[in-house]
Amino acid sequence: MLAFFALLGLTNGDWLARIPALAHGLHLSDGMLGVALLATPAGSVAVASLAGALVDRIGSRAPTTLAGIAVALLPISFGLAASQVALMVGMFVFGVAAGALDVSMNAQAVQLQTAVGRQLMTSFHACYSFGALAGGLVGGAFAWGNVGPTPDFTAVAVPLAVLALVAGRFLLVRGQGAPVGAASSGEREPAAARPEAARPDATAGRRRRVRLSPLLVLSLLALCSLLGEGAADGWSAVYLRDNLGTSAGFAAMGYAAFALTMAFGRLAGDRLADRFGPAALLRAGGLLAAAGMALALLTRTPAGALAGFAVYGAGLSCTFPQMLAVAGSIRPDRPGSAIARVAGTGYVGLLTGPVMIGGLATAAGLPTALGLPALLALGIAAGARYGVPGRMGARRRAPGR
């Protein structure tokens, strides 16, 4: 299972590191490149619900394996593209494969997490983060050696495709690993057993309560989380360079600090979720992320901004993985569709976030625009209690207590 998260991260890190070479080869302006790069998240948004339905119908094993092979091989088409249109087609198809892999492997992770009875999701996402960092180093090494994108992508794609083919044999089949007494994939749990089910109480006849759908709340929180990630991806270096006057090399460290603390934060996420519960982890993560972005914006110094982006990455590190884990647990009969709903809404944030920050920056300045991710992080903290239903949000007690 770890192999597929690492595969997606490594593939993304490699081709993202070669964007300058792709743009230079096709003579793309910054504006043309920006339009082309929208094709990948657009493909992921387009396929999310379909991938979820497919996972619910046939299980996650086959979609994870096939999508993993496709994700490994499709970047080769980027290097072979002879025009912006061809590049966008390749990126859109890659986005479809990446979105399908994201939904199916997260559904597989929820299945495995349910089988072992403890939190695993954030560790899986840590593998994605470290894979992305490794992919960036690989792409940078090929670029430093003046190797073209096509040989680079081919050298990375072939072993990763073989890895996906082999690793797919070890994935759980549909229904495998379910705890004894758990409802089968084709059966719904009784309403009384579902955490989100409304329970009658003594006041039911006297007043009517408005109940928020946990999946709807999680979807909105995922939008906040990935929009915040997209803001750091696209604008941290720009803020350091243009607003604080740092060198290009120091500016690049802003995103590096964000990415590193996000990766290492995910290593601790499962233990924190087991100890304190997903709701507390989401609440603390949102508050920490908001504090980090505030530090980056209010200190107005390069060192303070660098520290702020590092804290921001630590805060956001566990939010999206936990949202997916909770979504799959809320609907054990249809985990694929639940995960797809949350992830698909999050992809919209990833797609629109950089553009939205750019528009706000044009109107009010980049420091003001970057205040939006801080507010959205506070929204994650405020919405955590509504997105994690019932006993699912409580801390786990140690045996014997």
Side-chain angles (χ1 to χ4, degrees):
M1 192 64 247
L2 296 175
F4 288 96
F5 282 87
L7 179 152
L8 181 58
L10 203 152
T11 304
N12 274 331
D14 183 36
W15 78 261
L16 287 171
R18 303 311 306 271
I19 285 176
L22 292 172
H24 178 76
L26 296 177
H27 308 289
L28 301 180
S29 67
D30 290 345
M32 294 167 66
L33 177 61
V35 172
L37 292 177
L38 291 176
T40 299
S44 296
V45 171
V47 79
S49 59
L50 179 61
L54 182 65
V55 166
D56 289 337
R57 184 175 181 84
I58 68 172
S60 58
R61 181 179 183 177
T64 299
T65 303
L66 295 176
I69 295 171
V71 163
L73 295 175
L74 280 168
I76 298 174
S77 68
F78 302 171
L80 298 174
S83 66
Q84 181 186 4
V85 173
L87 179 63
M88 290 184 66
V89 170
M91 288 185 168
F92 181 85
V93 176
F94 174 81
V96 168
L101 176 59
D102 200 21
V103 170
S104 58
M105 71 182 183
N106 277 290
Q108 175 79 195
V110 169
Q111 185 180 351
L112 181 59
Q113 181 172 276
T114 302
V116 301
R118 62 186 178 87
Q119 294 283 340
L120 297 173
M121 184 66 82
T122 349
S123 297
F124 288 137
H125 281 259
C127 288
Y128 169 85
S129 296
F130 283 110
L133 291 171
L137 292 175
V138 169
F142 276 111
W144 184 77
N146 292 318
V147 178
T150 302
D152 173 355
F153 299 154
T154 304
V156 172
V158 173
L160 288 183
V162 173
L163 175 65
L165 185 62
V166 173
R169 300 177 60 188
F170 298 95
L171 298 178
L172 298 177
V173 298
R174 189 180 186 188
Q176 182 182 356
V180 176
S184 68
S185 58
E187 299 175 352
R188 277 185 174 273
E189 290 183 292
R194 293 200 304 270
E196 76 276 22
R199 299 177 186 272
D201 55 32
T203 64
R206 295 195 299 268
R207 62 180 181 180
R208 189 182 298 270
R209 285 175 139 186
V210 176
R211 300 184 63 88
L212 295 174
S213 163
L215 278 179
L216 174 61
V217 175
L218 286 172
S219 298
L220 295 175
L221 297 185
L223 179 70
C224 295
S225 181
L226 289 195
L227 194 153
E229 285 191 35
D233 290 350
W235 293 100
S236 56
V238 176
Y239 173 72
L240 283 164
R241 186 185 68 241
D242 294 348
N243 292 90
L244 300 186
T246 68
S247 66
F250 189 94
M253 292 175 62
Y255 175 70
F258 168 81
L260 281 172
T261 54
M262 175 165 280
F264 281 102
R266 286 175 171 175
L267 292 177
D270 291 328
R271 292 190 296 275
L272 293 173
D274 271 331
R275 181 171 182 180
F276 300 106
L281 183 56
L282 288 177
R283 189 179 305 114
L287 292 173
L288 186 62
M293 185 59 78
L295 175 64
L297 297 176
L298 295 178
T299 58
R300 303 292 295 175
T301 65
L306 194 64
F309 285 124
V311 174
Y312 184 65
L316 286 186
S317 61
C318 301
T319 55
F320 187 60
Q322 280 301 306
M323 292 169 194
L324 298 182
V326 172
S329 300
I330 286 176
R331 293 294 304 271
D333 56 328
R334 297 176 61 84
S337 295
I339 290 171
R341 180 176 175 182
V342 174
T345 309
Y347 296 152
V348 173
L350 203 60
L351 177 66
T352 61
V355 178
M356 185 180 300
I357 297 297
L360 289 173
T362 300
L366 185 55
T368 301
L370 287 176
L372 175 62
L375 293 176
L376 295 179
L378 290 177
I380 293 173
R385 60 178 294 191
Y386 303 104
V388 184
R391 291 167 296 179
M392 201 180 298
R395 58 175 289 184
R396 293 193 178 192
R397 295 187 178 183
R401 292 188 180 182

